Amino acid sequence: MIEPGNKTASTGTTQNPHSPQSTQNAQSTQSTQHTQNTVRLRPGAQGGPSASPGRPTVPLTVGVEEEFLLVDARTLRVVPAAPLVLATAGGLPGEMHPEGTRYQVEISTPVAESAATLRAELAALRRTLAGAARAHGCRLLAAPSPVVAMTGPLHLTDDEPRQREQHRRFGALTDTLVSCGRHIHIGTLDVDTAVAVSNRIRPWLPTLIALAANSPFWGGRDTGHASWRAMAWSGWPSAGPPPHFTSTAHFRRSVQTLLGSGAALDTKMVYWDLRPSGHWPTLEFRAPDMSPSIDTAVLQAELARALVSTALREIRERRPEPAIRDDVLRLARWRAAHDGLEGFGLDPYTGTELPAADLAEALLDLVAPELAASGDLDHAAKTLATLLRDGSGAHRQRTTYARRQNLTDVLRHLTDETENF
């Protein structure tokens, strides 16, 4: 990203350099201004990381949480088997744990400094969990929704009074708890830095939603959206795009307003697409759908870390934050959830309609210097090219369904891809 208000050499007109339409012009500037993918840490620092010379540098780390549904191996319908599967899986504390309902399980990778390590951890945890599921006649489903309609009462996590209170207060909204996302933590960042970085990353959240779109079917029908999870989850009063924060104090007031109004039981219910974690010194990306491909998961983590690194560089260089209207960002988010990667999206800076594939490539171009510095550029570029060639998860689900008009085929496709380690 280059300074807002720079003029293009060819026309002499002012152009927003943060816009995807200006990414190619900005790329040559970025490559000469690139600094290493590290952040100097100073707890409590205002406005970003310390730039004091001689202080040690620490690479940005990444951790990923993945949520899975458990389905009967024969019928492929969800089953409330999480307690049995988790007891069989064992694992280290914190690596495998229950989610909001007994239909779901979650894995959390250890902190990783490289994409290769992250990929290995994801594969190992998935393999262990899949084996435990098979021992109880189940399979893992890496999908945001059960695809087919659920019957019977909602099985909340038995030992979580919090879940019962959530159900009492929010009623039918808790039906959306039977959905799965992928959360990406980038650290280590103090809260002041995480807030400042969040402001600069907000415009790219719709593109991350489009890249991850994997929930076209919900309740047994095609929703007409590529990521219905993004839309369903927006029903929660504490969800959606994060606000622009003028300060860390503003961020804290926003959280307290959610709590005080009853819109959230606790800080875990701050469901913004991007948030400073309430439990770890990280910035947490919550927008992506869950999807079967491990390489796609790694791509999302690579892009998230590179976006954070790019924002940190801008903060060090005292570049102004990009100007973006909240109403345009919300529209861009909806368009990304509706069209996914195959249709169109909105340039969040201008509201201009652009092919979603162009927005994805603009994001890659923007963060390419940071990806190259961390050794991730080759993998990210190849994985994105594969996505653009083969289609998003939503596109592949619809292609599978079109062959026989059978949602069981979609479920089988998803479970087979999930267990392709």
Side-chain angles (χ1 to χ4, degrees):
M1 297 180 185
I2 59 178
E3 294 285 354
N6 278 6
K7 296 181 182 294
T8 61
S10 58
T11 65
T13 58
T14 300
Q15 188 176 44
N16 185 343
H18 297 275
S19 168
Q21 294 174 312
S22 303
T23 303
Q24 290 184 343
N25 292 338
Q27 193 174 0
S28 61
T29 303
Q30 290 170 333
S31 62
T32 60
Q33 294 176 335
H34 173 67
T35 56
Q36 190 177 3
N37 184 20
T38 59
V39 51
R40 291 183 170 86
L41 299 177
R42 180 166 58 86
Q46 297 293 325
S50 166
S52 303
R55 296 185 69 87
T57 58
V58 181
L60 289 174
T61 59
V62 60
V64 173
E65 298 166 343
E66 291 194 322
E67 299 166 350
F68 298 87
L69 292 165
L70 293 168
V71 296
D72 181 273
R74 184 177 58 84
T75 66
L76 300 182
R77 289 182 175 267
V78 292
V79 288
L84 293 173
V85 170
L86 289 170
T88 299
L92 297 174
E95 288 188 348
M96 300 181 190
H97 39 85
E99 252 300 307
T101 72
R102 292 201 293 154
Y103 309 107
Q104 297 165 282
V105 289
E106 183 179 56
I107 61 174
S108 300
T109 69
V111 174
E113 292 188 2
S114 74
T117 299
L118 177 65
R119 193 189 194 290
E121 294 287 358
L122 284 170
L125 288 170
R126 284 191 181 198
R127 191 175 295 113
T128 299
L129 198 57
R134 284 194 297 272
H136 294 282
C138 302
R139 297 184 71 182
L140 294 184
L141 182 67
S145 80
V147 178
V148 296
M150 293 179 57
T151 59
L154 182 66
H155 289 269
L156 298 173
T157 303
D158 286 348
D159 59 351
E160 279 281 1
R162 175 181 177 275
Q163 301 296 339
R164 292 195 290 274
E165 172 59 21
Q166 197 175 35
H167 183 63
R168 185 196 66 79
R169 182 180 299 188
F170 296 100
L173 272 179
T174 56
D175 292 347
T176 63
L177 291 175
V178 192
S179 66
C180 298
R182 177 180 288 120
H183 301 165
I184 302 163
H185 290 260
I186 306 298
T188 302
L189 302 174
D190 59 67
V191 66
D192 303 283
T193 304
V195 168
V197 168
S198 173
N199 286 340
R200 294 171 182 269
I201 289 177
R202 290 167 73 237
W204 290 103
L205 291 171
T207 301
L208 294 178
I209 288 172
L211 282 168
N214 190 48
S215 50
F217 297 104
W218 201 285
R221 67 186 183 94
D222 192 321
T223 65
H225 288 70
S227 175
W228 186 247
R229 170 186 165 272
M231 301 313 301
W233 203 247
S234 295
W236 291 92
S238 57
H244 176 276
F245 302 111
T246 57
S247 64
T248 303
H250 180 198
F251 160 71
R252 296 189 192 282
R253 286 197 303 272
S254 295
V255 172
Q256 287 304 313
T257 298
L258 290 174
L259 298 174
S261 68
L265 294 178
D266 48 38
T267 57
K268 289 174 64 176
M269 273 192 66
V270 178
Y271 289 151
W272 293 323
D273 293 337
L274 181 71
R275 69 180 186 186
S277 172
H279 301 280
W280 309 105
T282 63
L283 185 63
E284 182 182 3
F285 291 72
R286 301 175 52 83
D289 278 356
M290 186 56 190
S291 58
S293 168
I294 291 180
D295 280 317
T296 299
V298 174
L299 169 66
Q300 291 164 3
E302 290 166 338
L303 292 173
R305 181 164 68 171
L307 274 168
V308 171
S309 187
T310 299
L312 288 168
R313 172 166 49 82
E314 291 183 343
I315 292 169
R316 286 193 296 268
E317 295 171 356
R318 300 184 183 278
R319 295 173 178 267
E321 290 180 1
I324 179 169
R325 287 167 38 193
D326 285 348
D327 60 333
V328 174
L329 179 59
R330 186 166 289 277
L331 289 173
R333 185 185 188 276
W334 167 76
R335 191 61 183 271
H338 182 273
D339 285 25
L341 195 55
E342 284 67 43
F344 285 81
L346 297 182
D347 180 333
Y349 301 99
T350 67
T352 303
E353 186 179 78
L354 294 171
D358 288 0
L359 289 163
E361 290 178 336
L363 172 57
L364 183 71
D365 288 344
L366 175 70
V367 300
E370 306 297 341
L371 290 169
S374 60
D376 297 334
L377 181 57
D378 184 61
H379 178 270
K382 287 181 178 177
T383 305
L384 178 58
T386 299
L387 266 178
L388 295 177
R389 182 194 70 216
D390 297 343
S392 66
H395 174 77
R396 296 197 302 277
Q397 285 189 47
R398 284 178 168 140
T399 298
T400 300
Y401 178 75
R403 296 188 185 111
R404 297 198 311 159
Q405 309 289 303
N406 190 330
L407 286 176
T408 301
D409 292 347
V410 175
L411 287 164
R412 188 171 294 108
H413 154 78
L414 286 167
T415 50
D416 289 345
E417 275 202 356
T418 301
E419 296 176 358
N420 182 17
F421 309 116

